[in-house]
Amino acid sequence: MKTSFKFSAFFYFSIFLIFQIFSFQIFTVNSQGSTDSCNSNLNLKGELLFDTTSFHCLSVWDQQGYILRYMRTDTNVWSFVLSAPNTNAYIAMGFSKNGKMVGSTAVVGWVSNDGTATMKKYFLGGQSPDEVLPDEGNLQLVNFTSSVVAEDSRIYMAFQLNTEMPSNRLIYSVGPTGMLPSAADFRLTEHQDQISTSLNYNSGQSEKSTPYANLRRSHGLLNMFGWAIFMPIGVMVARYLRQYDPIWFYAHTTIQSLGFILGFAGVISGLVLNNRLQNNVNRHKGIGIFILVLGCLQVIALLARPDKSSKVRKYWNWYHYITGRVLIMLATVNVFYGIHLGNAGSSWKAGFAVVLVIFLITAALFEIRMWKRK
């Protein structure tokens, strides 16, 4: 009993630490972009080559602090200024026909550690870096009107397009910190994060474009409820309601079976989603598959459960406890990670965090009740 108590205490403390780590991202205010906003005109020491006083201005990517200013400045000339935090990474703005990165042309800018500012256009011919070609693509940049300025912890990328009407399907991305293109071949490393949006140039309204939104939502909800909500409830039933024998056992197996079915469907939907989007989410996918394997092992353990009088029953219990709790901890991490990858927003993180708080409080109350009974 002491060993079981110590392991449970460690388990719930681990869940608490996971919650603390991820909730820090939720309840802290992102200070990125504090030196630039649409409430004031640009007042830079560096020269942007054209005045932005009358430009439309809007926040196009809140999570990364991206601000876009634009205006039609001539009959067939559109001027853009993209502002973002300077994290020693490239920033990019792509123009797409269908909202996808492959097949689009992007304008990419960065400032090296020595202060050298560079801006180039790239054709995104595929997902691998070798298929991202510098100085290619269908964008007609107006010569000698492009510039990149780094100032007050932000980077400003200004350029003009020669076109009657730019594509309204825009893609923004940010590169990995410290991995800037080199002058040798100007190859881009894979972006750290990206978002697809649509822009109404007349009204200045920008909306996030989410391909396969229903499938994304189903994937997230199925995994969240299956692995990270029903599974912990089943664990608490088995630990705290054993006095109601055999009801606790049937409740435990029913809840865990439901969680496994939902989680299994969530992993399958995630694999389908990954196949359609072709995103690089190998870490998230790998953790999800490992969680599914642990779930399958729990099902096998249930079918192969030895009798209470068996000598190996003690080792079976250890195996069952450890596998289940590792599954739940990994599922908790992967749910938060999936919310981050999907840019689902702080509301999803906050909602899941509230559920974890409820679980922690409930478990603490039950633990206190068990102590008093002893």
Side-chain angles (χ1 to χ4, degrees):
M1 180 63 71
K2 290 183 178 179
T3 302
S4 175
F5 167 75
K6 289 180 180 179
F7 190 86
S8 296
F10 172 76
F11 167 68
Y12 290 115
F13 180 70
S14 300
I15 291 291
F16 176 74
L17 286 180
I18 293 171
F19 164 71
Q20 289 293 324
I21 292 171
F22 285 96
S23 62
F24 179 79
Q25 302 177 27
I26 302 169
F27 300 108
T28 55
V29 178
N30 189 344
S31 62
Q32 290 182 336
S34 60
T35 58
D36 186 23
S37 72
C38 291
N39 296 324
S40 59
N41 294 323
L42 288 182
N43 185 21
L44 301 177
K45 298 176 183 177
E47 187 178 358
L48 285 178
L49 302 181
F50 43 83
D51 183 25
T52 62
T53 304
S54 303
F55 280 34
H56 292 282
C57 181
L58 62 154
S59 176
V60 291
W61 194 4
D62 292 335
Q63 288 87 347
Q64 295 291 344
Y66 275 42
I67 294 177
L68 178 66
R69 294 173 173 85
Y70 72 92
M71 187 178 181
R72 174 180 251 163
T73 50
D74 206 340
T75 304
N76 288 324
V77 175
W78 288 79
S79 301
F80 298 88
V81 178
L82 180 63
S83 164
N86 187 3
T87 60
N88 193 28
Y90 68 77
I91 63 172
M93 177 178 175
F95 296 80
S96 173
K97 294 181 180 179
N98 52 15
K100 297 182 179 181
M101 296 197 72
V102 176
S104 63
T105 303
V107 180
V108 184
W110 64 91
V111 177
S112 303
N113 292 329
D114 61 3
T116 302
T118 308
M119 193 190 78
K120 299 182 78 67
K121 70 174 180 178
Y122 288 81
F123 174 67
L124 310 180
Q127 293 187 324
S128 67
D130 292 339
E131 296 175 294
V132 179
L133 307 177
D135 300 317
E136 300 289 342
N138 57 8
L139 293 181
Q140 298 296 322
L141 294 175
V142 178
N143 293 330
F144 309 113
T145 61
S146 303
S147 61
V148 179
V149 174
E151 191 171 308
D152 295 331
S153 300
R154 290 187 70 87
I155 183 172
Y156 299 83
M157 182 174 70
F159 61 93
Q160 290 183 314
L161 296 183
N162 192 340
T163 180
E164 182 178 350
M165 177 62 70
S167 172
N168 68 331
R169 304 297 296 272
L170 302 178
I171 300 171
Y172 304 94
S173 67
V174 57
T177 301
M179 300 183 67
L180 300 175
S182 65
D185 54 12
F186 291 107
R187 293 293 184 186
L188 290 181
T189 52
E190 185 177 357
H191 58 264
Q192 173 186 314
D193 200 2
Q194 63 91 20
I195 188 174
S196 178
T197 68
S198 61
L199 173 63
N200 186 322
Y201 288 99
N202 294 324
S203 65
Q205 296 295 316
S206 177
E207 296 182 357
K208 179 181 175 182
S209 176
T210 308
Y212 305 107
N214 291 333
L215 184 58
R216 287 171 182 258
R217 190 177 299 108
S218 298
H219 167 66
L221 289 174
L222 286 170
N223 282 290
M224 182 185 295
F225 276 94
W227 302 122
I229 293 181
F230 278 98
M231 288 292 179
I233 292 175
V235 168
M236 286 190 285
V237 168
R239 176 165 176 79
Y240 302 121
L241 301 180
R242 284 181 176 263
Q243 66 269 30
Y244 304 108
D245 192 38
I247 296 177
W248 76 265
F249 176 76
Y250 295 117
H252 172 69
T253 55
T254 300
I255 294 171
Q256 300 300 73
S257 297
L258 178 58
F260 176 79
I261 293 171
L262 293 177
F264 180 83
V267 172
I268 297 301
S269 65
L271 295 175
V272 172
L273 181 64
N274 181 243
N275 182 62
R276 293 182 180 180
L277 293 177
Q278 295 295 316
N279 286 340
N280 185 9
V281 291
N282 292 334
R283 186 177 302 170
H284 179 62
K285 181 171 67 174
I287 296 174
I289 293 175
F290 185 62
I291 290 171
L292 178 59
V293 171
L294 293 178
C296 293
L297 290 176
Q298 289 292 70
V299 173
I300 295 173
L302 177 63
L303 298 175
R305 183 169 60 103
D307 189 77
K308 291 182 179 179
S309 60
S310 173
K311 294 182 179 180
V312 299
R313 180 59 180 258
K314 177 178 67 173
Y315 303 104
W316 181 90
N317 286 337
W318 291 352
Y319 159 82
H320 187 56
Y321 293 159
I322 293 173
T323 303
R325 283 152 178 77
V326 170
L327 184 156
I328 293 172
M329 286 190 284
L330 288 177
T332 302
V333 171
N334 215 29
V335 167
F336 275 118
Y337 187 39
I339 293 172
H340 166 72
L341 291 175
N343 293 311
S346 59
S347 60
W348 278 70
K349 291 182 182 179
F352 185 50
V354 168
V355 172
L356 292 184
V357 170
I358 294 174
F359 283 167
L360 290 169
I361 293 175
T362 303
L365 293 175
F366 274 115
E367 287 291 335
I368 294 172
R369 183 185 177 188
M370 289 180 64
W371 296 345
K372 290 183 177 180
R373 285 187 174 183
K374 295 176 183 179

